[in-house]
Amino acid sequence: MLALLAAGVALAVVAGAQDDPAPGSRFVCTALPPEAARAGCPLPAMPMQGGALSPEEELRAAVLQLRETVVQQKETLGAQREAIRELTGKLARCEGLAGGKARGAGATGKDTMGDLPRDPGHVVEQLSRSLQTLKDRLESLEVQLRTNTSTAGLPGDFREVLQQRLGELERQLLRKVAELEDEKSLLHNETSVHRQKTENTLNALLQRVTELERGNSAFKSPDAFKVSLPLRTNYLYGKIKKTLPELYAFTICLWLRASASPGLGTPFSYAVPGQANEIVLIEWGNNPIELLINDKVAQLPLFISDGKWHHICITWTTRDGLWEAFQDGEKLGTGENLAPWHPIKPGGVLILGQEQDTVGGRFDATQAFVGELSQFNIWDRVLRTQEIISIANCSTNMPGNIIPWVDNNIDVFGGASKWPVETCEERLLDL
């Protein structure tokens, strides 16, 4: 390409000497050899610096040199375009003058322009490609320089700072993981405790609902309840609304569970005007259980102060004052001459849990019954032994014909309460 440019310059010099050719004159176009062109257009030498250069500095120097080369090529390209336009016009005149002679002289004429391209646009295209190639090389060198700079070894101080920062981040991450593990463990423990509390609460509620359901269903039956007397005081008691008629014989049966000692206290008492101890069952202090009729006393061989449910039946008849005592269906004692030929007076007050010093009052806390009572029934006759056994083992239900155990026949006072109960089932639990 440089040879072509040198030939173009030589042609321009010859043509400049003959700008105004005389009529009949001609142009002589002689091609210069490539060696002469290279000698006349030397390439700029690469600058050399003393001492060894680093790869980055060599790349920077190459980039600067290429930039200067590109600038020079641009300037040369602009000058050559002008020269090419002039040469194109002069070449056209030269070929026009030589064309007629060449046609008249035949093939012996010499084409002195054979070394020059006939299409000046081709020369421009080649120069443009050369320029683009230089630009591409420049961009490639710049990219390589940036890459080498980014991948070059980091300074020792910077590397140490980076490692310290990475180590700190790793320690923070480990601490955070440990905190999350601790929170997870605490959450699990709290969840377990909360679950246990919830289960206990639900079980308590379920038990309460069951009791209420049993209570609702139990109170449909007139005898499936109990009277609870939790304290030894002189104001907790139950009262039977009905009174007794005149009796010449009776059977009194009840379920009871004592909760205090010593002494059972007074499970029940019946007082009439003029006689506070018309019928009383009492165990006071360390004394044995006693049955009082018209203030007469008989000691009963009963043992019921163990905190369990027991079924007690007592029979009496005015004839010879004969009495019997049953515990849990078994006859444990019998006797006679207990207020013989004395009829039980009517119109008195029947109290559960307290001993009466007057009709319906003047209770003594030391003689109070503490525990639970149920199935208190009174008949106006002496029940047969088999009937008592059947009642005690829950194989039959025999309400009293004088005083039956029904809810609407009993009032409670002073903190005593009524609760649903199945005494036979609870007795089985006590065994």
Side-chain angles (χ1 to χ4, degrees), residues 286-334:
N286 294 320
N287 299 320
I289 295 178
E290 298 176 341
L291 174 63
L292 282 68
I293 296 179
N294 193 27
D295 209 20
K296 305 300 186 290
V297 180
Q299 293 184 346
L300 308 181
L302 303 178
F303 307 95
I304 54 180
S305 299
D306 57 359
K308 297 181 180 180
W309 281 105
H310 292 284
H311 187 258
I312 303 300
C313 278
I314 300 168
T315 68
W316 174 87
T317 178
T318 188
R319 182 180 295 180
D320 297 328
L322 185 64
W323 62 267
E324 296 174 319
F326 294 80
Q327 179 175 327
D328 299 327
E330 181 182 0
K331 184 189 291 188
L332 297 183
T334 185

Side-chain angles (χ1 to χ4, degrees), residues 1 27 88 142 182 258-259 269 328 401 416:
M1 182 186 299
F27 293 97
T88 301
E142 289 178 346
D182 294 340
S259 301
S269 64
D328 299 327
N401 65 334

Side-chain angles (χ1 to χ4, degrees), residues 2-3 6-7 10 31-42:
L2 295 176
L32 296 176
E35 293 78 3
R38 284 195 295 268
C41 299

Side-chain angles (χ1 to χ4, degrees), residues 191-419:
T191 303
S192 299
V193 174
H194 181 70
R195 186 187 300 112
Q196 185 65 33
K197 291 182 180 179
T198 303
E199 289 179 355
N200 293 337
T201 303
L202 290 177
N203 290 334
L205 290 175
L206 180 61
Q207 183 177 359
R208 180 59 179 162
V209 170
T210 302
E211 291 178 356
L212 292 176
E213 289 176 350
R214 289 178 57 189
N216 292 336
S217 62
F219 274 97
K220 294 178 182 178
S221 175
D223 57 357
F225 70 98
K226 63 183 177 182
V227 172
S228 177
L229 304 165
L231 299 174
R232 178 160 279 173
T233 68
N234 61 353
Y235 53 84
L236 271 76
Y237 66 97
K239 182 178 181 181
I240 307 297
K241 294 181 180 180
K242 291 185 66 176
T243 187
L244 296 179
E246 187 177 48
L247 296 175
Y248 298 93
F250 65 79
T251 298
I252 301 176
C253 293
L254 73 156
W255 285 91
L256 60 83
R257 178 166 64 182
S259 301
S261 62
L264 178 70
T266 306
F268 67 88
S269 64
Y270 176 67
V272 295
Q275 181 52 267
N277 296 325
E278 185 70 4
I279 306 175
V280 179
L281 181 66
I282 186 172
E283 183 184 52
W284 187 17
N286 294 320
N287 299 320
I289 295 178
E290 298 176 341
L291 174 63
L292 282 68
I293 296 179
N294 193 27
D295 209 20
K296 305 300 186 290
V297 180
Q299 293 184 346
L300 308 181
L302 303 178
F303 307 95
I304 54 180
S305 299
D306 57 359
K308 297 181 180 180
W309 281 105
H310 292 284
H311 187 258
I312 303 300
C313 278
I314 300 168
T315 68
W316 174 87
T317 178
T318 188
R319 182 180 295 180
D320 297 328
L322 185 64
W323 62 267
E324 296 174 319
F326 294 80
Q327 179 175 327
D328 299 327
E330 181 182 0
K331 184 189 291 188
L332 297 183
T334 185
E336 58 182 3
N337 201 31
L338 177 60
W341 312 109
H342 171 75
I344 302 300
K345 296 178 182 179
V349 175
L350 195 55
I351 297 294
L352 301 177
Q354 296 286 352
E355 192 273 335
Q356 306 173 63
D357 287 340
T358 61
V359 177
R362 287 189 64 184
F363 304 141
D364 186 349
T366 61
Q367 297 175 339
F369 172 79
V370 180
E372 298 171 327
L373 300 171
S374 183
Q375 299 295 322
F376 182 84
N377 290 280
I378 301 178
W379 294 264
D380 60 357
R381 64 182 177 88
V382 175
L383 295 182
R384 297 188 304 271
T385 300
Q386 187 58 45
E387 291 176 321
I388 294 175
I389 292 173
S390 298
I391 296 173
N393 60 25
C394 301
S395 61
T396 186
N397 183 23
M398 290 180 58
N401 65 334
I402 299 300
I403 301 294
W405 182 254
V406 290
D407 177 49
N408 58 11
N409 191 38
I410 300 173
D411 290 332
V412 292
F413 301 91
S417 58
K418 291 189 286 188
W419 293 92

